[in-house]
Coordinates of all heavy atoms in Angstrom, one line a residue:
M51 N 17.9 2.1 -48.0 CA 17.6 1.3 -46.8 C 16.1 1.1 -46.7 O 15.6 0.1 -46.3 CB 18.2 2.0 -45.6 CG 17.9 1.4 -44.3 SD 18.7 -0.2 -44.3 CE 18.2 -0.8 -42.7
K52 N 15.3 2.1 -47.1 CA 13.8 2.0 -47.0 C 13.3 1.0 -47.9 O 12.4 0.2 -47.6 CB 13.2 3.4 -47.3 CG 13.4 4.4 -46.2 CD 12.7 5.7 -46.5 CE 12.9 6.7 -45.4 NZ 12.3 8.0 -45.7
K53 N 13.9 0.9 -49.1 CA 13.4 -0.1 -50.1 C 13.7 -1.5 -49.6 O 12.9 -2.4 -49.8 CB 14.1 0.2 -51.5 CG 13.6 1.4 -52.2 CD 14.2 1.6 -53.5 CE 13.8 2.9 -54.2 NZ 14.4 3.1 -55.5
V54 N 14.9 -1.7 -49.0 CA 15.3 -3.0 -48.5 C 14.3 -3.4 -47.4 O 13.8 -4.5 -47.4 CB 16.7 -3.0 -48.1 CG1 17.1 -4.3 -47.4 CG2 17.7 -2.8 -49.2
L55 N 14.0 -2.5 -46.5 CA 13.1 -2.8 -45.4 C 11.7 -3.1 -45.9 O 11.1 -4.0 -45.5 CB 13.1 -1.6 -44.5 CG 12.3 -1.7 -43.2 CD1 12.8 -2.9 -42.4 CD2 12.3 -0.5 -42.4
L56 N 11.2 -2.3 -46.9 CA 9.9 -2.6 -47.5 C 9.9 -3.9 -48.1 O 8.9 -4.7 -48.0 CB 9.6 -1.5 -48.4 CG 8.2 -1.5 -49.1 CD1 7.1 -1.5 -48.0 CD2 8.0 -0.4 -50.0
V57 N 10.9 -4.3 -48.9 CA 10.9 -5.6 -49.6 C 10.9 -6.7 -48.6 O 10.2 -7.7 -48.7 CB 12.1 -5.7 -50.5 CG1 12.3 -7.1 -51.1 CG2 11.9 -4.7 -51.7
S58 N 11.7 -6.5 -47.5 CA 11.8 -7.6 -46.5 C 10.4 -7.7 -45.8 O 10.0 -8.8 -45.5 CB 12.8 -7.2 -45.4 OG 14.1 -7.1 -46.0
L59 N 9.8 -6.6 -45.5 CA 8.4 -6.6 -44.9 C 7.4 -7.4 -45.8 O 6.7 -8.2 -45.3 CB 8.0 -5.2 -44.6 CG 6.6 -5.1 -43.9 CD1 6.6 -5.8 -42.5 CD2 6.2 -3.7 -43.7
C60 N 7.4 -7.0 -47.1 CA 6.5 -7.7 -48.0 C 6.8 -9.2 -48.1 O 5.8 -10.0 -48.1 CB 6.6 -7.0 -49.4 SG 6.0 -5.3 -49.4
A61 N 8.0 -9.5 -48.1 CA 8.4 -11.0 -48.2 C 7.9 -11.7 -47.0 O 7.4 -12.8 -47.0 CB 9.9 -11.1 -48.4
G62 N 8.0 -11.0 -45.8 CA 7.6 -11.6 -44.6 C 6.1 -11.8 -44.6 O 5.5 -12.8 -44.1
V63 N 5.3 -10.8 -45.1 CA 3.9 -10.9 -45.1 C 3.4 -12.0 -46.1 O 2.5 -12.8 -45.8 CB 3.3 -9.6 -45.5 CG1 1.8 -9.7 -45.8 CG2 3.5 -8.6 -44.4
L64 N 4.1 -12.1 -47.2 CA 3.7 -13.1 -48.2 C 4.0 -14.5 -47.7 O 3.4 -15.5 -48.1 CB 4.5 -12.9 -49.5 CG 4.0 -11.6 -50.3 CD1 4.9 -11.4 -51.5 CD2 2.6 -11.7 -50.7
A65 N 5.0 -14.7 -46.8 CA 5.3 -16.0 -46.3 C 4.3 -16.5 -45.3 O 4.3 -17.7 -45.0 CB 6.7 -15.9 -45.6
L66 N 3.4 -15.6 -44.8 CA 2.4 -16.1 -43.8 C 1.4 -16.9 -44.6 O 1.0 -16.6 -45.7 CB 1.7 -14.9 -43.2 CG 2.6 -14.0 -42.3 CD1 1.8 -12.8 -41.8 CD2 3.0 -14.8 -41.1
S67 N 0.9 -18.0 -43.9 CA -0.1 -18.9 -44.5 C -1.4 -18.3 -44.4 O -1.7 -17.4 -43.5 CB 0.0 -20.2 -43.9 OG -0.5 -20.1 -42.6
P68 N -2.4 -18.7 -45.2 CA -3.8 -18.2 -45.1 C -4.4 -18.5 -43.7 O -5.2 -17.7 -43.2 CB -4.5 -19.0 -46.2 CG -3.5 -19.3 -47.2 CD -2.2 -19.5 -46.4
A69 N -4.0 -19.5 -43.1 CA -4.5 -19.9 -41.7 C -4.0 -18.8 -40.7 O -4.8 -18.4 -39.8 CB -3.9 -21.2 -41.3
V70 N -2.8 -18.2 -40.9 CA -2.4 -17.2 -40.0 C -3.2 -15.9 -40.2 O -3.6 -15.3 -39.3 CB -0.9 -16.9 -40.2 CG1 -0.4 -15.7 -39.4 CG2 0.0 -18.1 -39.9
F71 N -3.5 -15.6 -41.5 CA -4.3 -14.4 -41.8 C -5.7 -14.6 -41.2 O -6.3 -13.7 -40.6 CB -4.4 -14.1 -43.3 CG -3.2 -13.4 -43.8 CD1 -2.5 -14.0 -44.8 CD2 -2.9 -12.2 -43.4 CE1 -1.4 -13.4 -45.4 CE2 -1.8 -11.5 -44.0 CZ -1.0 -12.1 -44.9
T72 N -6.3 -15.8 -41.3 CA -7.6 -16.0 -40.8 C -7.6 -15.9 -39.3 O -8.5 -15.3 -38.7 CB -8.1 -17.4 -41.2 OG1 -8.1 -17.5 -42.6 CG2 -9.5 -17.7 -40.7
A73 N -6.6 -16.5 -38.6 CA -6.5 -16.4 -37.2 C -6.4 -14.9 -36.7 O -7.0 -14.5 -35.7 CB -5.3 -17.2 -36.7
M74 N -5.5 -14.2 -37.4 CA -5.3 -12.7 -37.1 C -6.6 -12.0 -37.3 O -7.0 -11.2 -36.4 CB -4.2 -12.1 -37.9 CG -2.8 -12.6 -37.6 SD -1.6 -12.2 -38.8 CE -1.7 -10.4 -38.9
A75 N -7.3 -12.2 -38.3 CA -8.6 -11.5 -38.6 C -9.6 -11.9 -37.6 O -10.4 -11.1 -37.1 CB -9.1 -11.8 -40.0
S76 N -9.7 -13.2 -37.2 CA -10.6 -13.7 -36.3 C -10.4 -13.1 -34.9 O -11.4 -12.7 -34.2 CB -10.5 -15.2 -36.2 OG -11.4 -15.7 -35.2
D77 N -9.2 -12.9 -34.5 CA -8.9 -12.2 -33.3 C -9.4 -10.8 -33.2 O -9.7 -10.3 -32.2 CB -7.3 -12.2 -33.0 CG -6.8 -13.6 -32.7 OD1 -7.6 -14.5 -32.4 OD2 -5.6 -13.7 -32.8
R78 N -9.4 -10.2 -34.4 CA -9.9 -8.8 -34.5 C -11.4 -8.7 -34.8 O -11.9 -7.6 -35.0 CB -9.0 -8.0 -35.5 CG -7.6 -7.8 -35.0 CD -6.7 -7.3 -36.1 NE -5.4 -7.1 -35.7 CZ -4.5 -8.0 -35.4 NH1 -4.8 -9.3 -35.5 NH2 -3.2 -7.7 -35.0
G79 N -12.1 -9.8 -35.0 CA -13.5 -9.8 -35.3 C -13.8 -9.3 -36.7 O -14.9 -8.7 -36.9
I80 N -13.0 -9.6 -37.7 CA -13.2 -9.1 -39.0 C -13.3 -10.2 -40.0 O -13.0 -10.1 -41.2 CB -12.2 -8.1 -39.4 CG1 -10.7 -8.7 -39.3 CG2 -12.3 -6.8 -38.7 CD1 -9.7 -7.8 -39.9
V81 N -13.8 -11.4 -39.6 CA -13.9 -12.5 -40.5 C -15.3 -12.8 -40.9 O -15.8 -13.8 -40.7 CB -13.2 -13.8 -39.9 CG1 -13.3 -15.0 -40.9 CG2 -11.8 -13.6 -39.6
G82 N -16.0 -11.8 -41.5 CA -17.3 -12.0 -42.0 C -18.4 -12.1 -40.9 O -18.2 -11.8 -39.7
E83 N -19.6 -12.5 -41.3 CA -20.7 -12.5 -40.5 C -20.7 -13.5 -39.4 O -21.4 -13.4 -38.4 CB -22.0 -12.6 -41.3 CG -22.2 -11.6 -42.4 CD -22.4 -10.2 -41.8 OE1 -22.8 -10.1 -40.6 OE2 -22.0 -9.2 -42.4
T84 N -20.0 -14.6 -39.5 CA -20.0 -15.7 -38.6 C -19.0 -15.4 -37.4 O -18.9 -16.3 -36.5 CB -19.6 -17.0 -39.2 OG1 -18.4 -16.9 -39.9 CG2 -20.7 -17.4 -40.3
A85 N -18.2 -14.3 -37.4 CA -17.2 -14.1 -36.4 C -17.8 -13.9 -35.0 O -17.2 -14.2 -34.1 CB -16.3 -12.9 -36.8
R86 N -19.0 -13.3 -35.0 CA -19.6 -13.0 -33.7 C -20.8 -13.8 -33.5 O -21.8 -13.6 -34.1 CB -19.9 -11.5 -33.6 CG -18.7 -10.7 -33.6 CD -19.0 -9.2 -33.3 NE -20.3 -8.7 -33.6 CZ -20.6 -7.5 -33.9 NH1 -19.6 -6.6 -34.1 NH2 -21.8 -7.1 -34.1
P87 N -20.8 -14.8 -32.5 CA -21.9 -15.6 -32.2 C -23.1 -14.8 -31.7 O -22.8 -13.8 -31.0 CB -21.4 -16.7 -31.2 CG -20.2 -16.1 -30.7 CD -19.6 -15.1 -31.7
G88 N -24.3 -15.2 -31.9 CA -25.4 -14.4 -31.4 C -25.9 -13.3 -32.3 O -26.9 -12.7 -32.0
K89 N -25.3 -13.1 -33.3 CA -25.7 -12.0 -34.3 C -26.9 -12.6 -35.1 O -26.8 -13.6 -35.7 CB -24.6 -11.6 -35.2 CG -24.9 -10.5 -36.2 CD -23.8 -10.3 -37.1 CE -22.9 -9.2 -36.6 NZ -21.9 -8.7 -37.6
E90 N -28.0 -11.9 -35.0 CA -29.2 -12.3 -35.8 C -29.5 -11.3 -36.8 O -29.9 -10.1 -36.6 CB -30.4 -12.4 -34.8 CG -31.6 -12.9 -35.5 CD -32.8 -13.0 -34.6 OE1 -32.7 -12.7 -33.4 OE2 -33.9 -13.3 -35.1
L91 N -29.2 -11.6 -38.1 CA -29.5 -10.7 -39.2 C -30.9 -10.9 -39.7 O -31.4 -12.0 -39.9 CB -28.5 -11.0 -40.4 CG -27.1 -10.7 -40.1 CD1 -26.2 -11.0 -41.3 CD2 -26.9 -9.3 -39.6
K92 N -31.6 -9.8 -39.8 CA -33.0 -9.8 -40.3 C -33.1 -8.8 -41.5 O -32.2 -8.0 -41.7 CB -34.0 -9.3 -39.2 CG -34.1 -10.3 -38.1 CD -35.2 -9.8 -37.2 CE -35.5 -10.9 -36.1 NZ -36.6 -10.5 -35.2
E93 N -34.2 -8.9 -42.2 CA -34.4 -8.1 -43.4 C -35.8 -7.4 -43.3 O -36.7 -8.0 -42.7 CB -34.4 -8.9 -44.7 CG -33.0 -9.5 -45.0 CD -33.0 -10.4 -46.2 OE1 -34.1 -10.4 -46.9 OE2 -32.0 -11.1 -46.4
V94 N -35.9 -6.2 -43.8 CA -37.2 -5.5 -43.8 C -37.3 -4.7 -45.1 O -36.2 -4.2 -45.5 CB -37.4 -4.7 -42.5 CG1 -36.4 -3.5 -42.5 CG2 -38.9 -4.1 -42.5
T95 N -38.5 -4.5 -45.6 CA -38.7 -3.7 -46.8 C -39.7 -2.7 -46.4 O -40.8 -3.0 -45.9 CB -39.1 -4.5 -48.0 OG1 -38.1 -5.5 -48.3 CG2 -39.3 -3.6 -49.3
F96 N -39.4 -1.4 -46.7 CA -40.4 -0.3 -46.5 C -40.8 0.3 -47.8 O -40.0 0.5 -48.7 CB -39.7 0.8 -45.6 CG -39.4 0.3 -44.2 CD1 -38.0 0.2 -43.8 CD2 -40.3 0.0 -43.3 CE1 -37.7 -0.1 -42.6 CE2 -40.0 -0.4 -42.0 CZ -38.7 -0.4 -41.6
S97 N -42.0 0.8 -47.8 CA -42.5 1.6 -48.9 C -42.3 3.1 -48.4 O -42.7 3.4 -47.3 CB -44.0 1.4 -49.2 OG -44.5 2.3 -50.1
V98 N -41.6 3.9 -49.2 CA -41.2 5.2 -48.8 C -41.6 6.2 -49.8 O -41.5 6.0 -51.0 CB -39.6 5.3 -48.6 CG1 -39.2 6.6 -48.2 CG2 -39.2 4.2 -47.6
S99 N -42.1 7.4 -49.4 CA -42.6 8.4 -50.2 C -41.5 9.3 -50.9 O -41.6 10.5 -50.9 CB -43.6 9.3 -49.4 OG -42.8 10.0 -48.4
M100 N -40.6 8.6 -51.5 CA -39.5 9.4 -52.2 C -39.9 9.6 -53.7 O -40.7 8.9 -54.2 CB -38.2 8.6 -52.1 CG -38.2 7.3 -52.7 SD -36.6 6.4 -52.4 CE -37.2 4.8 -52.1
H101 N -39.3 10.7 -54.3 CA -39.8 11.0 -55.6 C -38.6 11.3 -56.6 O -38.9 11.6 -57.8 CB -40.8 12.1 -55.6 CG -40.3 13.4 -55.0 ND1 -40.2 13.6 -53.6 CD2 -39.7 14.5 -55.5 CE1 -39.7 14.8 -53.4 NE2 -39.4 15.3 -54.5
C102 N -37.4 11.4 -56.1 CA -36.3 11.8 -57.0 C -34.9 11.1 -56.6 O -34.9 10.5 -55.5 CB -36.1 13.3 -57.1 SG -35.6 14.0 -55.5
E103 N -33.9 11.3 -57.3 CA -32.6 10.8 -57.0 C -32.0 11.4 -55.8 O -31.2 10.8 -55.1 CB -31.6 10.9 -58.2 CG -31.9 10.0 -59.4 CD -31.7 8.5 -59.0 OE1 -30.9 8.2 -58.2 OE2 -32.5 7.7 -59.5
K104 N -32.4 12.7 -55.5 CA -31.9 13.3 -54.3 C -32.4 12.6 -53.0 O -31.7 12.4 -52.0 CB -32.2 14.8 -54.2 CG -31.4 15.6 -55.1 CD -31.7 17.1 -55.0 CE -30.6 17.7 -54.2 NZ -30.7 19.1 -54.1
C105 N -33.7 12.1 -53.1 CA -34.3 11.3 -52.1 C -33.5 10.0 -51.8 O -33.2 9.7 -50.7 CB -35.7 11.0 -52.4 SG -36.8 12.4 -52.5
V106 N -33.2 9.4 -52.9 CA -32.4 8.1 -52.9 C -31.1 8.4 -52.2 O -30.7 7.6 -51.3 CB -32.2 7.5 -54.3 CG1 -31.2 6.3 -54.2 CG2 -33.5 7.1 -54.9
G107 N -30.4 9.4 -52.6 CA -29.1 9.8 -52.0 C -29.2 10.1 -50.5 O -28.4 9.7 -49.7
K108 N -30.2 10.9 -50.1 CA -30.4 11.3 -48.8 C -30.7 10.1 -47.9 O -30.1 9.9 -46.8 CB -31.6 12.2 -48.7 CG -31.9 12.8 -47.3 CD -33.1 13.8 -47.4 CE -33.4 14.4 -46.1 NZ -34.5 15.4 -46.2
I109 N -31.5 9.2 -48.3 CA -31.8 8.0 -47.6 C -30.6 7.1 -47.5 O -30.2 6.6 -46.4 CB -33.0 7.2 -48.2 CG1 -34.3 8.0 -48.0 CG2 -33.2 5.8 -47.5 CD1 -35.5 7.5 -48.8
T110 N -29.9 6.9 -48.6 CA -28.7 6.0 -48.6 C -27.7 6.5 -47.7 O -27.1 5.8 -46.9 CB -28.2 5.9 -50.1 OG1 -29.2 5.4 -50.9 CG2 -27.0 5.0 -50.1
E111 N -27.4 7.8 -47.8 CA -26.3 8.4 -47.0 C -26.6 8.4 -45.5 O -25.7 8.2 -44.7 CB -26.1 9.9 -47.4 CG -25.4 10.0 -48.7 CD -25.4 11.5 -49.2 OE1 -25.6 12.4 -48.3 OE2 -25.1 11.7 -50.4
N112 N -27.9 8.5 -45.1 CA -28.2 8.6 -43.7 C -28.5 7.2 -43.1 O -28.0 6.9 -42.0 CB -29.4 9.5 -43.5 CG -29.0 10.9 -43.6 OD1 -28.5 11.6 -42.8 ND2 -29.3 11.5 -44.8
I113 N -29.2 6.4 -43.7 CA -29.6 5.1 -43.2 C -28.5 4.1 -43.2 O -28.4 3.2 -42.3 CB -30.9 4.5 -43.9 CG1 -32.0 5.6 -43.8 CG2 -31.3 3.2 -43.3 CD1 -32.4 6.0 -42.4
S114 N -27.6 4.1 -44.1 CA -26.5 3.2 -44.2 C -25.6 3.3 -43.0 O -24.9 2.3 -42.6 CB -25.7 3.3 -45.5 OG -25.1 4.6 -45.6
F115 N -25.6 4.4 -42.3 CA -24.8 4.6 -41.1 C -25.5 4.4 -39.8 O -25.0 4.6 -38.7 CB -24.1 6.0 -41.1 CG -23.1 6.1 -42.2 CD1 -23.3 6.8 -43.4 CD2 -21.9 5.5 -42.1 CE1 -22.4 6.9 -44.4 CE2 -20.9 5.5 -43.1 CZ -21.2 6.3 -44.2
E116 N -26.8 4.0 -39.9 CA -27.5 3.7 -38.7 C -26.9 2.5 -38.0 O -26.5 1.5 -38.7 CB -29.0 3.4 -39.0 CG -29.8 4.6 -39.3 CD -30.1 5.5 -38.0 OE1 -30.4 5.0 -37.0 OE2 -29.9 6.7 -38.2
K117 N -26.9 2.5 -36.7 CA -26.3 1.3 -36.0 C -27.0 0.0 -36.3 O -28.3 0.0 -36.4 CB -26.5 1.6 -34.5 CG -25.8 0.6 -33.6 CD -25.9 1.0 -32.1 CE -25.2 -0.1 -31.3 NZ -25.2 0.3 -29.9
G118 N -26.3 -1.0 -36.7 CA -26.8 -2.3 -37.0 C -27.1 -2.6 -38.4 O -27.4 -3.7 -38.8
V119 N -27.1 -1.5 -39.3 CA -27.4 -1.7 -40.7 C -26.2 -2.4 -41.4 O -25.1 -1.9 -41.3 CB -27.8 -0.4 -41.4 CG1 -27.9 -0.6 -42.9 CG2 -29.0 0.2 -40.8
K120 N -26.5 -3.5 -42.0 CA -25.5 -4.3 -42.7 C -25.5 -4.2 -44.2 O -24.5 -4.2 -44.9 CB -25.6 -5.8 -42.4 CG -25.4 -6.1 -40.9 CD -24.1 -5.6 -40.4 CE -23.9 -5.8 -38.9 NZ -22.7 -5.2 -38.4
D121 N -26.7 -4.0 -44.8 CA -26.9 -3.8 -46.2 C -28.1 -3.0 -46.5 O -29.1 -3.0 -45.7 CB -27.0 -5.2 -46.9 CG -26.8 -5.1 -48.4 OD1 -26.4 -4.1 -48.9 OD2 -27.0 -6.2 -49.1
L122 N -28.1 -2.2 -47.6 CA -29.2 -1.3 -47.8 C -29.4 -1.2 -49.4 O -28.4 -1.0 -50.1 CB -28.9 0.1 -47.3 CG -29.8 1.2 -47.6 CD1 -31.1 1.1 -46.8 CD2 -29.1 2.5 -47.2
K123 N -30.6 -1.3 -49.8 CA -30.9 -1.1 -51.2 C -32.1 -0.2 -51.3 O -33.2 -0.4 -50.8 CB -31.2 -2.4 -51.9 CG -30.0 -3.3 -52.0 CD -30.3 -4.6 -52.7 CE -29.1 -5.5 -52.9 NZ -28.4 -5.9 -51.7
V124 N -31.9 0.9 -52.1 CA -33.0 1.9 -52.2 C -33.4 1.9 -53.7 O -32.6 2.1 -54.6 CB -32.5 3.3 -51.8 CG1 -33.6 4.3 -51.9 CG2 -32.0 3.3 -50.4
S125 N -34.7 1.7 -54.0 CA -35.2 1.7 -55.4 C -36.2 2.8 -55.6 O -37.3 2.8 -55.0 CB -35.9 0.3 -55.6 OG -36.6 0.4 -56.9
L126 N -35.8 3.8 -56.4 CA -36.7 4.9 -56.8 C -37.9 4.4 -57.6 O -39.0 4.8 -57.4 CB -35.9 6.0 -57.5 CG -36.7 7.2 -57.9 CD1 -37.4 7.9 -56.7 CD2 -35.8 8.2 -58.7
D127 N -37.6 3.5 -58.5 CA -38.7 2.9 -59.4 C -39.8 2.3 -58.6 O -41.0 2.5 -58.9 CB -38.1 1.9 -60.4 CG -37.2 2.6 -61.4 OD1 -37.4 3.8 -61.7 OD2 -36.4 1.9 -62.0
E128 N -39.4 1.5 -57.6 CA -40.4 0.8 -56.8 C -40.8 1.6 -55.5 O -41.7 1.2 -54.8 CB -39.9 -0.6 -56.4 CG -39.6 -1.5 -57.6 CD -39.0 -2.8 -57.2 OE1 -38.9 -3.1 -56.0 OE2 -38.5 -3.5 -58.1
R129 N -40.0 2.6 -55.2 CA -40.2 3.5 -54.0 C -40.1 2.6 -52.8 O -40.9 2.7 -51.9 CB -41.5 4.2 -54.1 CG -41.5 5.3 -55.2 CD -42.6 6.2 -55.2 NE -42.5 7.1 -56.3 CZ -43.3 8.0 -56.6 NH1 -44.4 8.1 -55.9 NH2 -43.1 8.9 -57.6
T130 N -39.0 1.8 -52.7 CA -38.8 0.9 -51.6 C -37.4 1.1 -51.0 O -36.5 1.5 -51.7 CB -39.0 -0.6 -52.0 OG1 -38.1 -0.9 -53.0 CG2 -40.5 -0.9 -52.4
V131 N -37.3 0.7 -49.8 CA -36.0 0.7 -49.1 C -35.9 -0.7 -48.4 O -36.8 -1.1 -47.6 CB -35.9 1.8 -48.0 CG1 -34.6 1.6 -47.2 CG2 -36.0 3.1 -48.7
W132 N -35.0 -1.5 -48.9 CA -34.7 -2.8 -48.3 C -33.5 -2.7 -47.4 O -32.5 -2.2 -47.8 CB -34.5 -3.9 -49.4 CG -34.1 -5.2 -48.9 CD1 -34.9 -6.2 -48.6 CD2 -32.7 -5.7 -48.8 NE1 -34.1 -7.3 -48.2 CE2 -32.8 -7.0 -48.3 CE3 -31.5 -5.1 -49.0 CZ2 -31.7 -7.8 -48.0 CZ3 -30.3 -5.9 -48.7 CH2 -30.5 -7.2 -48.2
I133 N -33.6 -3.3 -46.2 CA -32.5 -3.2 -45.2 C -32.3 -4.5 -44.6 O -33.2 -5.2 -44.1 CB -32.9 -2.2 -44.1 CG1 -33.2 -0.8 -44.7 CG2 -31.7 -2.0 -43.1 CD1 -33.8 0.2 -43.6
K134 N -31.0 -4.9 -44.6 CA -30.6 -6.1 -43.8 C -29.9 -5.5 -42.5 O -29.0 -4.6 -42.7 CB -29.6 -7.0 -44.6 CG -29.2 -8.2 -43.8 CD -28.1 -9.0 -44.5 CE -28.7 -9.8 -45.6 NZ -27.7 -10.8 -46.2
Y135 N -30.3 -6.0 -41.4 CA -29.8 -5.4 -40.1 C -29.5 -6.4 -39.1 O -30.1 -7.5 -39.1 CB -30.8 -4.3 -39.6 CG -32.1 -4.8 -39.2 CD1 -32.4 -5.1 -37.9 CD2 -33.1 -5.0 -40.2 CE1 -33.6 -5.6 -37.5 CE2 -34.4 -5.5 -39.8 CZ -34.6 -5.8 -38.5 OH -35.8 -6.3 -38.1
D136 N -28.7 -6.0 -38.1 CA -28.4 -6.9 -36.9 C -29.5 -6.6 -35.9 O -29.5 -5.5 -35.3 CB -27.0 -6.5 -36.4 CG -26.6 -7.4 -35.2 OD1 -27.4 -8.0 -34.6 OD2 -25.4 -7.3 -34.9
A137 N -30.3 -7.6 -35.6 CA -31.5 -7.4 -34.7 C -31.0 -7.1 -33.3 O -31.8 -6.6 -32.5 CB -32.4 -8.6 -34.8
S138 N -29.8 -7.4 -32.9 CA -29.3 -7.2 -31.6 C -28.9 -5.7 -31.4 O -28.7 -5.3 -30.3 CB -28.1 -8.1 -31.2 OG -27.0 -7.8 -32.0
K139 N -28.8 -5.0 -32.5 CA -28.4 -3.6 -32.4 C -29.5 -2.6 -32.8 O -29.4 -1.4 -32.5 CB -27.2 -3.4 -33.3 CG -25.9 -4.1 -32.9 CD -24.8 -3.8 -33.7 CE -23.5 -4.5 -33.2 NZ -22.3 -4.2 -34.0
T140 N -30.5 -3.0 -33.5 CA -31.5 -2.1 -34.0 C -32.8 -2.9 -34.2 O -32.8 -4.1 -34.0 CB -31.1 -1.3 -35.2 OG1 -32.1 -0.2 -35.4 CG2 -31.1 -2.2 -36.4
S141 N -33.9 -2.2 -34.6 CA -35.2 -2.9 -34.8 C -35.8 -2.2 -36.0 O -35.4 -1.2 -36.5 CB -36.1 -2.7 -33.6 OG -36.4 -1.4 -33.4
E142 N -36.9 -2.9 -36.5 CA -37.7 -2.3 -37.6 C -38.2 -0.9 -37.2 O -38.2 0.0 -38.0 CB -38.9 -3.2 -38.0 CG -38.5 -4.5 -38.7 CD -39.7 -5.3 -39.0 OE1 -40.8 -4.9 -39.0 OE2 -39.5 -6.5 -39.4
E143 N -38.7 -0.8 -36.0 CA -39.3 0.4 -35.6 C -38.2 1.6 -35.6 O -38.5 2.7 -36.0 CB -39.9 0.3 -34.1 CG -41.0 -0.7 -34.1 CD -40.6 -2.1 -34.1 OE1 -39.5 -2.5 -33.7 OE2 -41.5 -3.0 -34.5
K144 N -37.0 1.3 -35.1 CA -36.0 2.3 -35.1 C -35.6 2.7 -36.5 O -35.4 3.9 -36.8 CB -34.7 1.8 -34.4 CG -34.9 1.7 -32.9 CD -33.7 1.2 -32.2 CE -33.9 1.0 -30.7 NZ -32.7 0.4 -30.1
L145 N -35.5 1.7 -37.4 CA -35.2 2.0 -38.8 C -36.3 2.8 -39.5 O -36.0 3.8 -40.2 CB -34.9 0.7 -39.6 CG -33.7 -0.1 -39.1 CD1 -33.6 -1.4 -39.7 CD2 -32.4 0.7 -39.4
K146 N -37.5 2.5 -39.2 CA -38.7 3.2 -39.8 C -38.6 4.6 -39.3 O -38.8 5.6 -40.0 CB -40.0 2.5 -39.4 CG -41.2 3.2 -39.9 CD -42.5 2.5 -39.5 CE -43.6 3.3 -40.0 NZ -44.9 3.0 -39.4
S147 N -38.4 4.8 -38.0 CA -38.3 6.2 -37.4 C -37.2 7.0 -38.0 O -37.3 8.2 -38.2 CB -38.1 6.1 -35.9 OG -39.3 5.5 -35.3
A148 N -36.1 6.3 -38.3 CA -34.9 7.0 -38.8 C -35.2 7.6 -40.2 O -34.9 8.7 -40.6 CB -33.7 6.1 -38.9
I149 N -36.0 6.8 -41.0 CA -36.4 7.2 -42.4 C -37.4 8.3 -42.2 O -37.4 9.3 -43.0 CB -36.9 6.1 -43.2 CG1 -35.8 5.0 -43.4 CG2 -37.4 6.6 -44.6 CD1 -36.3 3.7 -44.1
E150 N -38.4 8.2 -41.3 CA -39.4 9.2 -41.1 C -38.8 10.5 -40.7 O -39.2 11.6 -41.0 CB -40.4 8.7 -40.1 CG -41.3 7.7 -40.6 CD -42.2 7.1 -39.6 OE1 -41.9 7.1 -38.4 OE2 -43.3 6.5 -40.0
A151 N -37.7 10.4 -39.9 CA -37.0 11.6 -39.4 C -36.4 12.4 -40.5 O -36.1 13.6 -40.4 CB -35.9 11.3 -38.4
L152 N -36.2 11.8 -41.7 CA -35.6 12.5 -42.9 C -36.7 13.2 -43.6 O -36.5 13.9 -44.6 CB -34.9 11.4 -43.8 CG -33.7 10.8 -43.2 CD1 -33.2 9.7 -44.1 CD2 -32.6 11.8 -42.9
G153 N -38.0 13.0 -43.2 CA -39.1 13.7 -43.8 C -40.0 12.9 -44.8 O -40.7 13.4 -45.6
Y154 N -39.9 11.5 -44.7 CA -40.7 10.7 -45.6 C -41.8 9.9 -44.9 O -41.6 9.6 -43.7 CB -39.7 9.7 -46.3 CG -38.6 10.3 -47.1 CD1 -37.4 10.5 -46.6 CD2 -38.9 10.8 -48.3 CE1 -36.4 11.1 -47.3 CE2 -37.9 11.5 -49.1 CZ -36.6 11.6 -48.5 OH -35.7 12.2 -49.3
R155 N -42.8 9.6 -45.6 CA -43.9 8.7 -45.1 C -43.3 7.3 -45.3 O -42.8 7.0 -46.4 CB -45.2 8.9 -45.8 CG -45.9 10.2 -45.4 CD -47.3 10.3 -46.0 NE -47.4 9.9 -47.4 CZ -47.1 10.7 -48.5 NH1 -46.7 11.9 -48.2 NH2 -47.2 10.3 -49.7
V156 N -43.5 6.4 -44.3 CA -42.9 5.1 -44.4 C -44.0 4.0 -44.0 O -44.6 4.2 -43.0 CB -41.7 4.9 -43.5 CG1 -41.1 3.6 -43.6 CG2 -40.7 6.0 -43.8
E157 N -44.1 3.0 -44.7 CA -44.9 1.8 -44.4 C -44.2 0.5 -44.6 O -43.4 0.4 -45.6 CB -46.2 1.8 -45.3 CG -47.1 3.0 -45.0 CD -48.4 2.9 -46.0 OE1 -48.7 1.7 -46.4 OE2 -48.9 3.9 -46.2
K158 N -44.3 -0.4 -43.7 CA -43.7 -1.7 -43.9 C -44.4 -2.5 -44.9 O -45.7 -2.5 -44.9 CB -43.7 -2.5 -42.6 CG -42.9 -3.8 -42.7 CD -43.0 -4.6 -41.4 CE -42.4 -5.9 -41.6 NZ -42.6 -6.8 -40.6
L159 N -43.7 -3.2 -45.8 CA -44.3 -4.0 -46.8 C -44.4 -5.5 -46.3 O -43.6 -5.9 -45.5 CB -43.6 -4.0 -48.1 CG -43.6 -2.6 -48.9 CD1 -42.8 -2.7 -50.1 CD2 -45.1 -2.3 -49.2

């Protein structure tokens, strides 16, 4: 009975058109960056006093979960942190402070 129910459910889902999926996702606010009007994405690059892979991991693990952070790239070779963020949720100053709170010297490039 479970297999029949699962097959029926899968067939029902496959029968839905892409437009239905888009509408469902749009209702839930999960259709990419254009789903919420007023969202202003900005980018900033910081020079950070990191010196090893543990520093990269520490920054990546902590800053990627800061409110408003959409994308993050940490380069040990260049000693930089590039962040794309939602300006309505955070600012350069808050992001800089968050990295400094981890124990690093930070300068905007």
